[in-house]
Amino acid sequence: MNSNKTKEVKTLSKSNITIFFILIYLVLFEFAWVNQSSIPKPSMLLETFASLITEYNLLNGLFETTAILFPAIFLAILIIEFFIRIFLNIILNFNGIINISSPFKYFSFFFFALLFNVIFPNSLLAEFVFITFLVLGNLITTLSDASNSISKEYIESAESLVLSNGKILSKVFWKSIKPNYYGKLVKIHTNAWLAVIVYEFIGAVNGVGAIYKLAFDYNDLFAIISLGIFIAILILAVNSILDFVISKLVFWE
């Protein structure tokens, strides 16, 4: 209960800081510092945002991005949930197996996104598969880290209950690490947005990333800033929803 209260305070604090900086920006650049020209005024960004909808087809691009991003995250979560016994069994019985992916860590994310775009050009399915595997990899890593936080004494006490190995993993072990595991989902969601935008920016065909690429080609600074603020607010809003849902469904389970 106390941990939930602490989490709510932290979330509120971040929101207050965000609102505070927005107010500073509004007052400073819209009303006070009117003669400067390097940083766009809020009113100009609003006008630019309107052009994003009418000229850059923002709504269509946003639909294309979210139609890939959210189902990919949902599918990755379902895979973990359905095969949790298998994943936990492998992680617990084969220590260090997660390190099998270590060689790939020396390649940047940009490399794999570029590779997929070259091999599967203009493919929404390839983008969906790419993001799904990326999120799934992050979830498995998070699952491994959460599993390492459980002491051996806890496992031994669970085994003393004369339960099958499968029930110990799914009923005892999994439920004990669920809060820690799902607590990282907000960060994974944020990183997934970055991944999908970079992927679409490289392909320059669909989604929000393609809008960024188009604005970049036009050297449209205001459009880039306006779009960046909009996406940041959208991510913050979805993260708040995730925090709320996780606190209700996981921490109180």
Side-chain angles (χ1 to χ4, degrees):
M1 188 72 178
N2 291 334
S3 61
N4 287 337
K5 288 183 177 179
T6 303
K7 190 170 184 178
E8 290 176 2
V9 171
K10 289 182 179 179
T11 304
L12 183 61
S13 176
K14 290 179 181 178
S15 301
N16 286 338
I17 292 174
T18 302
I19 294 173
F20 175 72
F21 277 106
I22 290 175
L23 289 175
I24 289 180
Y25 171 67
L26 287 173
V27 173
L28 189 61
F29 294 102
E30 184 68 33
F31 304 108
W33 199 6
V34 294
N35 293 325
Q36 67 84 31
S37 59
S38 57
I39 299 178
K41 297 169 63 175
S43 57
M44 296 179 66
L45 289 182
L46 287 176
E47 294 176 4
T48 304
F49 182 75
S51 70
L52 283 173
I53 297 176
T54 57
E55 299 176 18
Y56 286 90
N57 295 321
L58 174 61
L59 296 181
N60 183 58
L62 185 63
F63 173 78
E64 291 174 341
T65 297
T66 54
I68 289 175
L69 178 66
F70 293 141
I73 295 175
F74 184 70
L75 177 60
I77 292 174
L78 282 183
I79 291 174
I80 295 293
E81 286 282 355
F82 283 140
F83 300 102
I84 187 60
R85 291 187 183 183
I86 297 175
F87 284 118
L88 287 178
N89 199 31
I90 293 174
I91 290 173
L92 293 175
N93 292 318
F94 299 93
N95 292 330
I97 193 171
I98 198 71
N99 295 327
I100 197 172
S101 62
S102 294
F104 298 101
K105 294 179 181 178
Y106 295 99
F107 294 92
S108 67
F109 159 77
F110 183 81
F111 167 78
F112 292 107
L114 191 63
L115 199 63
F116 256 70
N117 270 287
V118 171
I119 298 175
F120 308 105
N122 308 333
S123 173
L124 293 177
L125 179 60
E127 182 181 352
F128 176 77
V129 171
F130 181 83
I131 299 301
T132 301
F133 273 105
L134 181 71
V135 174
L136 185 61
N138 287 333
L139 289 175
I140 293 175
T141 301
T142 302
L143 183 65
S144 176
D145 293 339
S147 300
N148 292 332
S149 64
I150 302 297
S151 63
K152 291 183 178 180
E153 291 77 10
Y154 185 85
I155 300 176
E156 291 173 355
S157 63
E159 292 174 344
S160 66
L161 298 176
V162 196
L163 297 174
S164 65
N165 185 56
K167 286 187 176 181
I168 290 176
L169 291 176
S170 61
K171 301 296 183 181
V172 180
F173 197 87
W174 173 227
K175 285 190 175 183
S176 67
I177 65 175
K178 247 186 177 183
N180 187 18
Y181 169 78
Y182 276 106
K184 302 295 190 299
L185 188 58
V186 167
K187 182 179 179 181
I188 292 174
H189 165 255
T190 303
N191 291 337
W193 266 101
L194 174 62
V196 74
I197 288 176
V198 170
Y199 189 97
E200 292 171 349
F201 184 90
I202 295 172
V205 175
N206 62 280
V208 174
I211 297 176
Y212 267 116
K213 183 64 167 60
L214 189 61
F216 175 77
D217 290 339
Y218 287 156
N219 199 26
D220 193 343
L221 176 63
F222 287 3
I224 293 173
I225 295 176
S226 183
L227 181 58
I229 293 174
F230 171 73
I231 295 300
I233 293 174
L234 178 60
I235 293 174
L236 182 63
V238 176
N239 283 347
S240 299
I241 295 173
L242 283 175
D243 271 330
F244 176 78
V245 172
I246 291 171
S247 66
K248 296 300 181 184
L249 297 183
V250 177
F251 288 95
W252 288 95
E253 192 174 65

